[in-house]
Amino acid sequence: APSSCSAVFADGSRRRSAADMDRLLIVRLARNTVLPLAYIIFFAAAFVIAGYFLALKTQSSMLFCKDGNFKRFLIKKVPVVREKYLPSICGFNGYAHTVLATLFRDIITPTVVYDREILTLNDGGELAIDWLYPKSKGRQSLITVIILTGLTGDSQSEYVRETVNELFEKGYCCVVFNYRGRGGVKLKTARTYSATNIEDLTEVLKHVKSKRPNSPIAGIGFSMGGTLLGTFLMSSEQEKNKYLVTGILISVPWNVKQACKNAEGSWLMRKMGKNLSHHLRSVVVKNKDVIFKQDNDRSLDYNIIKQCNTIREFDTAYTIKIFNYTNVYHYYEDATLSNKLHLINVPCLCLSAADDPFLYFRDIPVNEADKHGNLAILVTSGGGHVGYLDTFWPFTNNNFMLKLIQQYFDAIMVDKNYEKFVNL
């Protein structure tokens, strides 16, 4: 009996040992199968992505401008307008490109140490002007570039820092116009800023000109700053005093009503619009004592303002009342540039992306640009809204937008070439 029990136990052990070996073989087989499968999936995905971006690469940027001297000048002197734009692999659509460009730039772009001036305005308000003077004397050091930020930006916004650093390295004198309530400056009056009111910009330009009277001034406007810059270039102030000799408009919302509509479209855009409205509200919240002390019967309602979740809601509750518009659509029509390009009399280069989530290709006034001899719109197939990452590795400052800014200013400002393209 003991020997038979031993045989049974031995036989059971052999069976368990064989089963364990089988399980071990299955595990090893699974491991050896999963790894090649992962490689296959990875390379298949890489192939699809590479094919997609190769297709994009075949689409050249499109330059819209009336045939003539200015268009020929751009094609010859600004090489980037002839290039095919290949977005970064991270920019697979306009929304992703916009968000990721903001994140990557914020990580890699160093803080800029400016010389700050607080400018007191005619109505008692205050705003900050941030200067970065050239590090050495040269041809570019005689030129001043004023930068107008986007809707909620300031001199430390990542795209501003990136641009200032690039221009500083090239020898230009840079000055950033921080709107009222931005850049850490408290309000002194109930008024902030809008896309159409050029009074503060006019005072800033007068001040810049008084400090550098022999320096030609060029302007760069990003997004809403491009709207404000374009509005100024069309104004009687510019026509009379000729403060600016040229301008670059980046990611301009050419049709403001449509841009705000797009900002309330998809879930992703509503999230972005909610974030922008938060930053707009924050100026009112931080300065509510000043604003509502000086309301002057504008019927501002603080409870309504602090609950605004879209740009349109904020403009309805605050902006149009401060700047005396009858309704928000009257304001947006006034801010729309697409039907007023003929009023710009100095050379102007604009950059827009066909996949800008705020404004698509159909909203870019390309037909209007084709009628004018001193204004050009360069449209890229991708780029998002103030995005324009264009290398496989996104952690770099050498992007399409910076190349365009640097090449254009080097070409148009040196030897006063801007004088050749006035009133064409």
Side-chain angles (χ1 to χ4, degrees):
S3 60
S4 68
C5 287
S6 297
V8 170
F9 284 134
D11 186 54
S13 297
R14 282 194 296 272
R15 284 198 297 270
R16 284 195 300 271
S17 178
D20 290 340
M21 289 295 294
D22 289 342
R23 283 195 293 270
L24 183 60
L25 287 173
I26 291 171
V27 169
R28 286 178 178 175
L29 181 62
R31 287 176 179 173
N32 291 335
T33 303
V34 168
L35 196 56
L37 184 60
Y39 283 139
I40 291 169
I41 294 172
F42 173 79
F43 284 114
F47 178 79
V48 171
I49 292 171
Y52 168 73
F53 281 101
L54 183 61
L56 276 181
K57 190 173 183 178
T58 63
Q59 300 182 28
S60 297
S61 302
M62 297 172 286
L63 183 66
F64 296 91
C65 181
K66 183 179 179 181
D67 288 335
N69 291 336
F70 186 53
K71 187 172 185 178
R72 286 192 291 270
F73 172 83
L74 292 174
I75 293 171
K76 182 179 179 181
K77 298 291 186 179
V78 186
V80 73
V81 305
R82 306 190 304 269
E83 293 180 6
K84 294 177 180 179
Y85 173 60
L86 176 64
S88 167
I89 196 169
C90 301
F92 53 86
N93 68 21
Y95 181 86
H97 203 143
T98 301
V99 173
L100 292 175
T102 299
L103 295 175
F104 292 148
R105 283 193 181 111
D106 202 36
I107 293 170
I108 67 175
T109 308
T111 299
V112 180
V113 180
Y114 296 99
D115 290 327
R116 169 160 287 194
E117 277 190 276
I118 302 297
L119 183 65
T120 300
L121 304 164
N122 289 336
D123 68 347
E126 289 183 349
L127 56 79
I129 306 173
D130 288 329
W131 293 85
L132 190 62
Y133 294 99
K135 58 185 177 181
S136 60
K137 291 184 178 181
R139 301 175 76 182
Q140 279 86 354
S141 68
L142 302 175
I143 299 164
T144 303
V145 179
I146 185 168
I147 298 171
L148 282 64
T149 73
L151 181 63
T152 60
D154 60 31
S155 59
Q156 292 297 346
S157 295
E158 73 291 335
Y159 57 90
V160 176
R161 284 182 277 137
E162 178 186 61
T163 304
V164 168
N165 283 329
E166 177 70 15
L167 292 173
F168 176 71
E169 288 299 317
K170 299 298 180 182
Y172 292 94
C173 177
C174 299
V175 56
V176 183
F177 167 31
N178 295 282
Y179 310 128
R180 297 194 198 201
R182 295 288 168 199
V185 178
K186 297 281 285 184
L187 291 179
K188 295 293 185 180
T189 70
R191 174 174 152 179
T192 54
Y193 57 93
S194 79
T196 57
N197 190 285
I198 63 169
E199 292 173 3
D200 290 357
L201 177 56
T202 301
E203 290 194 55
V204 168
L205 286 169
K206 285 180 180 178
H207 180 72
V208 171
K209 199 66 178 174
S210 71
K211 293 194 68 172
R212 292 173 62 86
N214 299 318
S215 173
I217 305 173
I220 306 176
F222 294 95
S223 191
M224 188 213 77
T227 301
L228 184 60
L229 179 59
T231 301
F232 183 85
L233 291 174
M234 299 171 182
S235 70
S236 58
E237 279 287 345
Q238 167 65 16
E239 179 66 21
K240 177 183 176 181
N241 296 295
K242 297 178 174 54
Y243 288 116
L244 296 167
V245 299
T246 190
I248 298 178
L249 311 184
I250 307 288
S251 296
V252 174
W254 295 104
N255 184 324
V256 178
K257 180 181 176 181
Q258 185 62 46
C260 286
K261 183 178 179 180
N262 292 344
E264 298 176 22
S266 68
W267 178 84
L268 291 172
M269 288 304 297
R270 289 196 297 273
K271 294 293 286 185
M272 184 179 287
K274 187 174 181 178
N275 180 60
L276 289 170
S277 68
H278 165 75
H279 289 290
L280 290 170
R281 296 194 314 266
S282 68
V283 174
V284 177
V285 172
K286 292 175 183 176
N287 297 276
K288 63 180 180 179
D289 294 339
V290 172
I291 291 172
F292 291 94
K293 181 180 178 181
Q294 300 182 10
D295 184 7
N296 296 328
D297 300 322
R298 290 191 182 95
S299 302
L300 296 176
D301 189 319
Y302 178 70
N303 290 324
I304 292 177
I305 293 170
K306 71 178 184 179
Q307 293 175 13
C308 293
N309 285 318
T310 68
I311 300 169
R312 179 178 54 83
E313 288 176 357
F314 179 84
D315 286 336
T316 301
Y318 180 80
T319 309
I320 64 170
K321 295 178 180 180
I322 292 292
F323 292 97
N324 300 316
Y325 285 96
T326 54
N327 57 60
V328 74
Y329 298 110
H330 177 209
Y331 169 47
Y332 289 164
E333 178 60 31
D334 198 24
T336 292
L337 301 180
S338 57
N339 57 350
K340 307 166 190 169
L341 300 184
H342 61 282
L343 298 175
I344 296 179
N345 294 317
V346 298
C348 190
L349 179 59
C350 313
L351 178 63
S352 293
D355 69 346
D356 187 327
F358 287 98
L359 214 66
Y360 299 120
F361 179 75
R362 63 178 179 270
D363 303 309
I364 303 171
V366 295
N367 293 330
E368 188 71 15
D370 272 336
K371 300 175 184 177
H372 301 294
N374 64 341
L375 181 140
I377 302 177
L378 182 67
V379 181
T380 55
S381 57
H385 189 75
V386 195
Y388 292 103
L389 302 176
D390 64 344
T391 56
F392 180 82
W393 182 245
F395 293 94
T396 174
N397 281 329
N398 183 29
N399 63 57
F400 188 89
M401 182 177 74
L402 291 182
K403 287 187 285 188
L404 178 115
I405 291 170
Q406 178 257 311
Q407 290 177 13
Y408 177 70
F409 280 157
D410 283 354
I412 201 77
M413 299 301 290
V414 174
D415 298 325
K416 297 184 178 181
N417 282 321
Y418 51 82
E419 294 178 348
K420 303 175 183 176
F421 309 112
V422 176
N423 295 316
L424 292 180

